[in-house]
């Protein structure tokens, strides 16, 4: 008779074990029962990059990588991108349900009233070098917010969590825009709370001497859709970073600063910036075959391609590809789109990429839109961070409330030296440099 257990036999001892299967997983701690001897600490699972390890139970985002499905709280990303806006989607991600008109009006008011930042933040921004990357500025200033809101340490208090969530979703666009203005040597633009969330962000970025910035509605909607698409993606690297820091009961500003830092990496949120640099390096359609050859030899990566979960087309990339054409009707076509489209076509006909199930991810086309909107390359991951703040705050709250969660403290498999005694310096041989040694295989 079928039962929800994994029956294993330890070949070292012949002992048999029955491990319960719950929700398609076994508990790694159950492996500790499997011992080779009485003083054995028991088996561990070894999973570099956590490629097959569930670190939590979550109800926020759902990704089916084989089918190319993404849902936020059960709603398909395609529907949200078409029918919702970022603030409403952020409410859904954080609260778990779509708001009614009254609650949405309250949510929008509460976020909008938190768009200002302490005036001292400008001093932080001014302290960065003239050529500082905006993501570095964002890591620093988000972390600094923890010093302005010491009450945020009350992570077990629901009202405090709600207040910090409103503050961070409200302030991220302001910090991002301040970083941009600082990098361009332009005066800071204060929030205009009469504009939409995304319209206000564009105003803080691009307002010059005009009395009031009027966002182009097509571009405002395009950025809002990009924010929706980047708002949440279950246990991605940066969300995992937020959860890890939050597991120590650190305040949410410190945890989100860790998320921004992880998102900065070119294999994660920094990929959209890297895609444009790649497309500019390729330059013309004629040079694509040569470039792809380098990707297949491993000397470089096809940025914007591949995904840990999606073994099919990233549904977000499909939406962004269509969005690009609507933006180009207003901004004029970004010539790099032709290189990107042909690059995708050739890669998807090449067995190297097809056999590894490498498809365009959401970063492959987002940069082409951002560039057409006049955003500098270095701001691309910053826009990603603004959007992902909703997901990060939802995961932070879910972790804090989860009775099963404990401080993250993984184990390791030690492959270093055995015990050895101290030798006086005059008796030591020439040291063998280990820092460049490849880690020993187990
Ligand atoms: C995001 O996790 C998320 O949800 C992230 C994200 C989100 O919303 O939060 O979706 C956002 O980060 C999207 C990913 C953006 N990054 C990039 O576009 C950078 C380029 N992509 C890769 O570096 C890579 O595909 C990753 C990092 C996205 C995934 O890496 P994995 O799962 O660790 O895959 P891997 O490195 O083990 O690669 C498997 C094989 C390898 O070849 P073999 O060793 O089997 O011969 O595929 C190859 C890799 O060399 N490969 C690539 C490749 N990606 C993987 N080869 C060329 N170009 C690539 N882009």
């Amino acid at each position: 008779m079928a039962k929800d257990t994994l029956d294993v036999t330890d070949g070292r001892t012949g002992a048999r074990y029955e491990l319960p299967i719950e929700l398609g997983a076994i508990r790694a701690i159950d492996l500790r029962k499997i011992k080779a001897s009485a003083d054995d600490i028991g088996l561990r699972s070894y999973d570099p990059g956590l490629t097959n390890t569930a670190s939590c139970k979550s109800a926020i985002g759902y990704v089916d990588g084989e089918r190319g499905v993404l849902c936020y709280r059960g709603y398909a990303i395609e529907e949200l991108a078409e029918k919702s806006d970022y603030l409403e989607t952020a409410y859904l991600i954080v609260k778990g349900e779509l708001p009614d008109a009254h609650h949405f009006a309250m949510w929008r008011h509460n976020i909008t009233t938190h768009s200002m930042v302490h005036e001292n933040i400008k001093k932080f921004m001014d302290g960065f070098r003239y050529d500082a990357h905006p993501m570095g500025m964002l890591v620093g200033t988000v972390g600094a917010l923890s010093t302005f809101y010491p009450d945020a340490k009350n992570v077990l208090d629901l009202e405090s969590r709600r207040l910090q969530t409103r503050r961070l979703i409200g302030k991220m666009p302001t910090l991002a825009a301040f970083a941009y203005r600082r990098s361009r040597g332009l005066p800071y633009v204060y929030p205009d709370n009469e504009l939409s969330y995304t319209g206000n962000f564009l105003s803080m970025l691009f307002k010059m001497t005009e009395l009031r910035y009027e966002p182009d509605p097509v571009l405002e909607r395009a950025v809002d859709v990009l924010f929706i698409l980047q708002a949440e993606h279950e246990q991605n690297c940066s969300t995992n970073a937020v959860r890890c820091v939050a597991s120590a009961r650190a305040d949410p500003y410190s945890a989100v600063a860790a998320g921004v830092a992880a998102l900065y990496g070119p294999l994660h949120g920094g990929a959209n910036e890297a895609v444009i640099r790649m497309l500019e390096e390729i330059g013309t359609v004629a040079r694509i075959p040569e470039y792809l050859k380098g990707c297949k030899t491993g000397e470089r990566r096809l940025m914007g391609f591949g995904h840990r979960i999606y073994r099919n087309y990233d549904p977000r990339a499909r939406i962004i590809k269509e969005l690009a054409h609507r933006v180009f009707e207003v901004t004029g076509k970004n010539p790099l789109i032709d290189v990107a489209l042909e690059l995708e076509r050739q890669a998807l006909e090449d067995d190297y990429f097809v056999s590894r199930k490498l498809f365009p991810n959401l970063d492959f086309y987002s940069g082409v839109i951002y560039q057409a909107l006049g955003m500098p390359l270095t701001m691309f991951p910053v826009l990603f961070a603004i959007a992902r703040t909703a997901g990060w705050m939802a995961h932070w709250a879910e972790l804090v409330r989860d009775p099963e969660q404990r401080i993250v403290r993984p184990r390791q498999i030690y492959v270093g030296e055995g015990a050895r005694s101290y030798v006086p310096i005059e008796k030591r041989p020439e040291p063998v440099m280990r820092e460049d040694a490849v880690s020993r295989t187990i």
Side-chain angles (χ1 to χ4, degrees):
M1 190 214 18
K3 52 182 182 171
D4 287 334
T5 58
L6 182 69
D7 298 327
V8 292
T9 301
D10 184 346
R12 301 170 298 179
T13 61
R16 294 171 54 78
Y17 301 85
E18 189 177 85
L19 305 181
I21 296 173
E22 177 202 3
L23 300 176
I26 60 167
R27 286 182 175 270
I29 197 67
D30 286 345
L31 297 173
R32 293 285 290 273
K33 302 172 194 166
I34 303 174
K35 298 173 183 278
S37 62
D39 60 353
D40 181 356
I41 55 171
L43 276 191
R44 288 189 185 135
S45 61
Y46 176 55
D47 190 7
L50 303 181
T51 56
N52 192 42
T53 295
S55 60
C56 64
K57 293 173 184 171
S58 180
I60 303 167
Y62 173 72
V63 178
D64 179 333
E66 293 304 324
R67 294 169 47 228
V69 169
L70 169 60
C71 296
Y72 297 162
R73 302 284 188 177
Y75 292 90
I77 191 65
E78 292 83 357
E79 261 208 296
L80 293 171
E82 183 192 343
K83 299 172 182 173
S84 187
D85 66 34
Y86 175 72
L87 264 197
E88 184 185 64
T89 299
Y91 183 102
L92 169 67
I93 290 168
V94 168
K95 306 272 188 185
E97 295 297 336
L98 285 170
D100 60 16
H102 169 64
H103 284 89
F104 186 43
M106 281 171 54
W107 172 254
R108 187 169 32 220
H109 170 76
N110 289 336
I111 300 290
T112 304
T113 53
H114 285 288
S115 55
M116 292 287 279
V117 293
H118 192 289
E119 278 292 285
N120 284 7
I121 289 293
K122 294 195 301 192
K123 296 188 176 76
F124 283 99
M125 290 290 176
D126 293 344
F128 290 107
R129 259 174 61 108
Y130 72 94
D131 59 351
H133 194 293
M135 278 298 266
M137 294 194 229
L138 198 62
V139 172
T141 46
V142 169
L145 286 183
S146 67
T147 66
F148 291 89
Y149 304 111
D151 58 312
K153 291 184 176 63
N154 305 324
V155 300
L156 300 178
D157 177 88
L158 174 60
E159 281 314 309
S160 175
R161 290 202 299 271
R162 284 174 170 166
L163 175 56
Q164 312 319 326
T165 299
R166 294 194 289 263
R167 280 174 170 157
L168 263 160
I169 293 175
K171 296 179 195 304
M172 285 298 262
T174 310
L175 295 177
F178 275 24
Y180 169 72
R181 299 289 286 196
R182 161 79 180 99
S183 65
R184 299 292 303 274
L186 294 170
Y188 300 114
V189 175
Y190 286 104
D192 177 346
N193 291 340
E194 297 304 311
L195 295 171
S196 74
Y197 182 84
T198 304
N200 171 47
F201 174 57
L202 294 173
S203 168
M204 293 190 288
L205 281 178
F206 298 132
K207 182 177 179 300
M208 299 307 273
T209 57
E210 68 271 35
L211 284 178
R212 159 166 276 188
Y213 178 83
E214 299 289 341
D216 178 292
V218 173
L219 306 188
E220 183 180 6
R221 177 60 187 161
V223 176
D224 205 61
V225 170
L226 284 164
F227 281 173
I228 291 172
L229 297 174
Q230 293 174 318
E232 151 65 6
H233 213 246
E234 56 147 274
Q235 303 305 314
N236 57 85
C237 180
S238 53
T239 297
N240 184 60
V242 170
R243 279 179 164 262
C244 181
V245 171
S247 76
R249 294 260 172 94
D251 69 85
Y253 301 99
S254 305
V256 168
V260 176
L263 193 70
Y264 193 359
L267 294 188
H268 189 16
N272 51 21
E273 178 184 348
V275 166
I276 296 297
R277 296 188 194 283
M278 171 185 75
L279 295 175
E280 288 175 340
E281 181 189 342
I282 295 171
T284 63
V285 167
R287 294 190 57 221
I288 289 174
E290 185 58 29
Y291 192 88
L292 286 178
K293 198 181 299 177
C295 296
K296 295 189 283 187
T297 58
E299 70 185 84
R300 60 172 81 99
R301 287 255 159 138
L302 184 55
M303 302 312 279
F305 256 68
H307 199 278
R308 175 64 56 76
I309 308 282
Y310 289 120
R311 293 306 183 227
N312 201 321
Y313 213 99
D314 183 333
R316 302 168 296 178
R318 209 186 301 281
I319 297 168
I320 291 174
K321 197 171 164 183
E322 291 159 18
L323 188 63
H325 296 298
R326 292 212 297 271
V327 169
F328 296 158
E329 285 166 11
V330 174
T331 64
K333 189 169 85 166
N334 183 336
L336 289 178
I337 189 74
D338 295 328
V339 179
L341 290 169
E342 179 57 16
L343 184 58
E344 174 191 348
R345 189 192 67 77
Q346 292 190 25
L348 296 187
E349 289 181 355
D350 187 311
D351 185 56
Y352 175 90
F353 300 97
V354 174
S355 64
R356 288 170 175 79
K357 296 184 183 284
L358 300 176
F359 293 90
N361 57 52
L362 95 159
D363 290 306
F364 189 66
Y365 287 106
S366 56
V368 172
I369 295 180
Y370 286 141
Q371 192 175 49
L373 294 172
M375 303 277 180
L377 286 193
T378 52
M379 281 295 288
F380 294 4
V382 175
L383 282 96
F384 199 154
I386 294 171
R388 191 51 58 89
T389 300
W392 288 335
M393 296 316 286
H395 281 277
W396 167 62
E398 188 177 67
L399 174 124
V400 169
R401 291 196 314 266
D402 185 343
E404 282 199 297
Q405 288 299 322
R406 305 165 66 188
I407 185 170
V408 172
R409 204 287 185 207
R411 307 308 297 271
Q412 64 172 19
I413 296 172
Y414 180 68
V415 294
E417 295 290 341
R420 47 185 178 167
S421 301
Y422 184 85
V423 176
I425 191 165
E426 65 275 5
K427 295 184 177 173
R428 290 174 203 155
E430 177 78 15
V432 174
M433 288 302 115
R434 295 198 182 288
E435 62 267 23
D436 58 350
V438 175
S439 64
R440 298 181 193 157
T441 51
I442 55 170

